[in-house]
Amino acid sequence: MKSDGISIDIRELRQEEASEVRDMIMSGLCQQVASHRAVIKFLRMPVGWLWVGFLVVSFCSVTNSVRLASVTSAAVLCLFVTRALLYVRYRYRRYFERLELQDLYTWYGTRAGSKFWVAVCEGKIIGTIALHRTSDNAAQLKRMTVLPSFRQRDVATCLLKHCEEYCGTQGVERIHLRTSRFQEDAIRLYLKFGFAITKKFTFLLNMEKLTC
Ligand SMILES: CC(C)(COP(=O)(O)OP(=O)(O)OC[C@H]1O[C@@H](n2cnc3c(N)ncnc32)[C@H](O)[C@@H]1OP(=O)(O)O)[C@@H](O)C(=O)NCCC(=O)NCCS
């Protein structure tokens, strides 16, 4: 397959490549969210919201506004409980994500309809993409990343095309994915490739593409 002047081969992940690929995915993810990481961490931690509440209530007591202080306390308490529940769910999901990343080869190799592909250029892995079958006619796109020195040369586009072609042969009519709002390059690419945003969360976005 030709991608902007370079010749790439797309094939399935081999067992001995799994840890190299995991490191590549992790560094790709970190680069995109690094500048927002501190803010994300703060807002995700329920304790962060308690601090916000504490500061607001302190301000209210300084300005002698009892009503504002009680309304704020109630709001902060609700936020704290909601955040705490979301945080438990987030940790639970991260646990499974870690299991997946620890052994990508087994995770994708042993699940029917799930695949993990790598893009190889002159023997070097330069990009990755995975597909996780979520129902008879739907699959989730995951783990797309391209080495920084090979970006903006259509490598990810080739991987997406490959994935879509595979879906066509497997009766997958809907490809969906979740990404973070901070992965702006990826969002632009997905939109260009025909994905639409289906749901927006605080930090995350759900997107999908119908293939037929
Ligand atoms: C997102 C990523 C995979 C794109 O890979 P890529 O091979 O550079 O993408 P392509 O060359 O196929 O890009 C095609 C389109 O994507 C968009 N795009 C990709 N990178 C972009 C950038 N740096 N700036 C602006 N648009 C960009 C553009 O619309 C581009 O089309 P154009 O060149 O005609 O403008 C790559 O930047 C990456 O690995 N990022 C870190 C990991 C990540 O965010 N993964 C997504 C997880 S959901």
Tab-separated table of all heavy atoms in Angstrom, residues 5 9 11 16 27 40 55-56 70 74 76-77 91 94 120 122 130 133-134 146-147 150 158 167 170 187 190 198 200:
chain	number	residue	atom	x	y	z
A	5	GLY	N	3.967	8.739	-0.634
A	5	GLY	CA	5.362	8.540	-1.013
A	5	GLY	C	6.064	7.400	-0.300
A	5	GLY	O	7.122	6.971	-0.730
A	9	ASP	N	3.119	-1.672	4.651
A	9	ASP	CA	2.465	-2.973	4.617
A	9	ASP	C	1.605	-3.046	5.885
A	9	ASP	O	2.100	-2.752	6.973
A	9	ASP	CB	3.598	-4.026	4.634
A	9	ASP	CG	3.050	-5.427	4.701
A	9	ASP	OD1	1.940	-5.644	4.200
A	9	ASP	OD2	3.747	-6.288	5.289
A	11	ARG	N	-0.391	-5.424	8.414
A	11	ARG	CA	-0.575	-6.839	8.761
A	11	ARG	C	-0.949	-6.952	10.233
A	11	ARG	O	-0.881	-5.956	10.983
A	11	ARG	CB	0.702	-7.636	8.470
A	11	ARG	CG	1.922	-7.127	9.216
A	11	ARG	CD	2.993	-8.190	9.329
A	11	ARG	NE	4.236	-7.674	9.853
A	11	ARG	CZ	4.485	-7.459	11.125
A	11	ARG	NH1	3.557	-7.680	12.045
A	11	ARG	NH2	5.663	-7.001	11.528
A	16	GLU	N	5.561	-11.216	19.558
A	16	GLU	CA	6.811	-10.622	20.047
A	16	GLU	C	6.848	-9.098	19.892
A	16	GLU	O	7.737	-8.437	20.428
A	16	GLU	CB	8.033	-11.267	19.343
A	16	GLU	CG	8.137	-11.034	17.848
A	16	GLU	CD	7.351	-12.055	17.003
A	16	GLU	OE1	6.459	-12.735	17.547
A	16	GLU	OE2	7.628	-12.156	15.798
A	27	SER	N	2.921	6.304	24.432
A	27	SER	CA	3.568	7.603	24.221
A	27	SER	C	2.728	8.466	23.282
A	27	SER	O	2.666	9.675	23.450
A	27	SER	CB	5.014	7.443	23.759
A	27	SER	OG	5.040	7.090	22.428
A	40	ILE	N	-7.051	17.738	33.882
A	40	ILE	CA	-7.909	16.551	33.843
A	40	ILE	C	-7.841	15.831	35.187
A	40	ILE	O	-8.864	15.464	35.767
A	40	ILE	CB	-7.480	15.569	32.733
A	40	ILE	CG1	-7.591	16.229	31.370
A	40	ILE	CG2	-8.317	14.302	32.757
A	40	ILE	CD1	-7.050	15.379	30.248
A	55	LEU	N	-13.100	26.619	48.929
A	55	LEU	CA	-12.698	27.993	48.587
A	55	LEU	C	-13.926	28.894	48.439
A	55	LEU	O	-13.947	30.014	48.947
A	55	LEU	CB	-11.883	27.996	47.279
A	55	LEU	CG	-10.485	27.376	47.390
A	55	LEU	CD1	-9.810	27.331	46.026
A	55	LEU	CD2	-9.626	28.187	48.367
A	56	VAL	N	-14.977	28.350	47.766
A	56	VAL	CA	-16.180	29.173	47.547
A	56	VAL	C	-16.856	29.477	48.878
A	56	VAL	O	-17.233	30.623	49.162
A	56	VAL	CB	-17.160	28.464	46.575
A	56	VAL	CG1	-18.436	29.275	46.415
A	56	VAL	CG2	-16.513	28.253	45.228
A	70	SER	N	-24.823	28.255	51.808
A	70	SER	CA	-25.535	26.975	51.911
A	70	SER	C	-25.855	26.398	50.529
A	70	SER	O	-25.757	25.189	50.319
A	70	SER	CB	-26.791	27.100	52.785
A	70	SER	OG	-27.461	28.273	52.463
A	74	ALA	N	-24.409	22.774	49.195
A	74	ALA	CA	-25.259	21.693	48.669
A	74	ALA	C	-24.794	21.294	47.266
A	74	ALA	O	-24.674	20.099	46.947
A	74	ALA	CB	-26.712	22.156	48.650
A	76	VAL	N	-21.847	21.695	45.934
A	76	VAL	CA	-20.538	21.023	45.969
A	76	VAL	C	-20.685	19.586	46.463
A	76	VAL	O	-20.042	18.668	45.952
A	76	VAL	CB	-19.562	21.831	46.859
A	76	VAL	CG1	-18.349	21.001	47.219
A	76	VAL	CG2	-19.131	23.082	46.138
A	77	LEU	N	-21.585	19.391	47.433
A	77	LEU	CA	-21.800	18.030	47.945
A	77	LEU	C	-22.323	17.125	46.821
A	77	LEU	O	-21.846	15.989	46.649
A	77	LEU	CB	-22.788	18.071	49.116
A	77	LEU	CG	-22.852	16.775	49.911
A	77	LEU	CD1	-21.529	16.575	50.655
A	77	LEU	CD2	-24.001	16.816	50.908
A	91	ARG	N	-11.947	4.263	37.387
A	91	ARG	CA	-10.874	3.363	37.844
A	91	ARG	C	-11.135	1.935	37.375
A	91	ARG	O	-10.240	1.195	37.008
A	91	ARG	CB	-10.734	3.369	39.376
A	91	ARG	CG	-10.349	4.652	40.027
A	91	ARG	CD	-9.080	5.271	39.561
A	91	ARG	NE	-7.914	4.407	39.410
A	91	ARG	CZ	-6.737	4.816	38.995
A	91	ARG	NH1	-6.559	6.079	38.670
A	91	ARG	NH2	-5.737	4.010	38.891
A	94	ARG	N	-10.252	1.743	33.777
A	94	ARG	CA	-8.799	1.791	33.622
A	94	ARG	C	-8.176	0.440	33.929
A	94	ARG	O	-7.196	0.046	33.332
A	94	ARG	CB	-8.192	2.855	34.557
A	94	ARG	CG	-8.347	4.264	34.062
A	94	ARG	CD	-7.584	4.508	32.772
A	94	ARG	NE	-6.157	4.370	32.957
A	94	ARG	CZ	-5.335	5.341	33.233
A	94	ARG	NH1	-5.797	6.559	33.332
A	94	ARG	NH2	-4.053	5.127	33.380
A	120	VAL	N	3.636	-1.294	8.694
A	120	VAL	CA	5.092	-1.504	8.717
A	120	VAL	C	5.731	-0.822	7.508
A	120	VAL	O	5.237	-0.956	6.387
A	120	VAL	CB	5.407	-3.021	8.691
A	120	VAL	CG1	6.905	-3.264	8.775
A	120	VAL	CG2	4.698	-3.732	9.842
A	122	GLU	N	9.530	-0.481	5.812
A	122	GLU	CA	10.916	-0.989	5.809
A	122	GLU	C	11.237	-1.761	7.094
A	122	GLU	O	12.239	-1.496	7.772
A	122	GLU	CB	11.900	0.168	5.609
A	122	GLU	CG	11.776	0.769	4.224
A	122	GLU	CD	12.580	2.044	4.030
A	122	GLU	OE1	13.276	2.437	4.981
A	122	GLU	OE2	12.485	2.623	2.952
A	130	ALA	N	-6.746	-0.945	16.046
A	130	ALA	CA	-7.393	-2.188	16.505
A	130	ALA	C	-8.898	-2.083	16.351
A	130	ALA	O	-9.461	-0.981	16.305
A	130	ALA	CB	-7.035	-2.429	17.966
A	133	ARG	N	-14.888	-6.179	18.331
A	133	ARG	CA	-16.285	-6.450	17.946
A	133	ARG	C	-17.195	-6.270	19.160
A	133	ARG	O	-16.964	-6.889	20.202
A	133	ARG	CB	-16.363	-7.893	17.435
A	133	ARG	CG	-17.630	-8.258	16.717
A	133	ARG	CD	-17.638	-7.647	15.337
A	133	ARG	NE	-18.825	-8.045	14.622
A	133	ARG	CZ	-18.816	-8.763	13.505
A	133	ARG	NH1	-17.685	-9.131	12.980
A	133	ARG	NH2	-19.944	-9.073	12.909
A	134	THR	N	-18.187	-5.389	19.053
A	134	THR	CA	-19.068	-5.142	20.199
A	134	THR	C	-20.467	-5.745	20.030
A	134	THR	O	-21.199	-5.889	21.001
A	134	THR	CB	-19.204	-3.627	20.463
A	134	THR	OG1	-19.474	-2.970	19.222
A	134	THR	CG2	-17.932	-3.051	21.064
A	146	VAL	N	0.255	6.734	15.294
A	146	VAL	CA	1.292	6.742	14.258
A	146	VAL	C	2.537	7.380	14.871
A	146	VAL	O	2.431	8.360	15.620
A	146	VAL	CB	0.811	7.556	13.013
A	146	VAL	CG1	1.938	7.755	12.012
A	146	VAL	CG2	-0.371	6.859	12.338
A	147	LEU	N	3.692	6.834	14.569
A	147	LEU	CA	4.942	7.401	15.094
A	147	LEU	C	5.053	8.860	14.650
A	147	LEU	O	4.780	9.166	13.484
A	147	LEU	CB	6.150	6.642	14.545
A	147	LEU	CG	6.569	5.335	15.212
A	147	LEU	CD1	7.857	4.836	14.574
A	147	LEU	CD2	6.745	5.484	16.714
A	150	PHE	N	6.278	9.928	11.233
A	150	PHE	CA	5.544	9.462	10.044
A	150	PHE	C	4.146	10.085	9.957
A	150	PHE	O	3.332	9.672	9.149
A	150	PHE	CB	5.431	7.936	10.049
A	150	PHE	CG	6.734	7.256	9.717
A	150	PHE	CD1	7.650	6.967	10.720
A	150	PHE	CD2	7.059	6.933	8.408
A	150	PHE	CE1	8.858	6.355	10.425
A	150	PHE	CE2	8.260	6.322	8.097
A	150	PHE	CZ	9.170	6.031	9.109
A	158	CYS	N	-4.653	5.246	5.805
A	158	CYS	CA	-4.527	3.894	5.230
A	158	CYS	C	-5.010	2.842	6.244
A	158	CYS	O	-5.695	1.880	5.880
A	158	CYS	CB	-3.076	3.581	4.875
A	158	CYS	SG	-2.511	4.479	3.448
A	167	CYS	N	-14.190	-4.531	7.928
A	167	CYS	CA	-15.564	-4.489	8.468
A	167	CYS	C	-16.562	-4.889	7.380
A	167	CYS	O	-17.520	-5.617	7.650
A	167	CYS	CB	-15.890	-3.088	8.984
A	167	CYS	SG	-15.037	-2.716	10.509
A	170	GLN	N	-16.959	-8.500	7.116
A	170	GLN	CA	-17.415	-9.186	8.324
A	170	GLN	C	-18.851	-8.812	8.729
A	170	GLN	O	-19.293	-9.144	9.836
A	170	GLN	CB	-16.483	-8.845	9.511
A	170	GLN	CG	-15.037	-9.214	9.282
A	170	GLN	CD	-14.846	-10.714	9.144
A	170	GLN	OE1	-15.318	-11.500	9.983
A	170	GLN	NE2	-14.181	-11.133	8.082
A	187	ILE	N	-9.458	13.782	16.052
A	187	ILE	CA	-10.858	14.161	15.794
A	187	ILE	C	-10.997	14.685	14.357
A	187	ILE	O	-11.917	14.316	13.626
A	187	ILE	CB	-11.340	15.204	16.830
A	187	ILE	CG1	-11.360	14.558	18.212
A	187	ILE	CG2	-12.716	15.756	16.472
A	187	ILE	CD1	-11.591	15.502	19.359
A	190	TYR	N	-10.903	11.729	12.029
A	190	TYR	CA	-12.149	10.943	12.045
A	190	TYR	C	-13.255	11.666	11.276
A	190	TYR	O	-13.994	11.051	10.516
A	190	TYR	CB	-12.606	10.695	13.487
A	190	TYR	CG	-11.700	9.778	14.280
A	190	TYR	CD1	-11.331	10.079	15.586
A	190	TYR	CD2	-11.221	8.600	13.728
A	190	TYR	CE1	-10.501	9.236	16.320
A	190	TYR	CE2	-10.388	7.758	14.457
A	190	TYR	CZ	-10.035	8.081	15.746
A	190	TYR	OH	-9.215	7.253	16.468
A	198	THR	N	-21.414	11.582	18.081
A	198	THR	CA	-22.749	11.148	18.525
A	198	THR	C	-23.040	11.565	19.960
A	198	THR	O	-24.181	11.690	20.355
A	198	THR	CB	-22.903	9.623	18.406
A	198	THR	OG1	-21.789	8.998	19.055
A	198	THR	CG2	-22.971	9.187	16.960
A	200	LYS	N	-21.241	13.939	23.476
A	200	LYS	CA	-20.121	14.679	24.071
A	200	LYS	C	-20.178	14.554	25.578
A	200	LYS	O	-21.248	14.733	26.177
A	200	LYS	CB	-20.222	16.156	23.700
A	200	LYS	CG	-19.968	16.461	22.251
A	200	LYS	CD	-20.061	17.951	21.998
A	200	LYS	CE	-19.784	18.242	20.531
A	200	LYS	NZ	-19.895	19.644	20.196
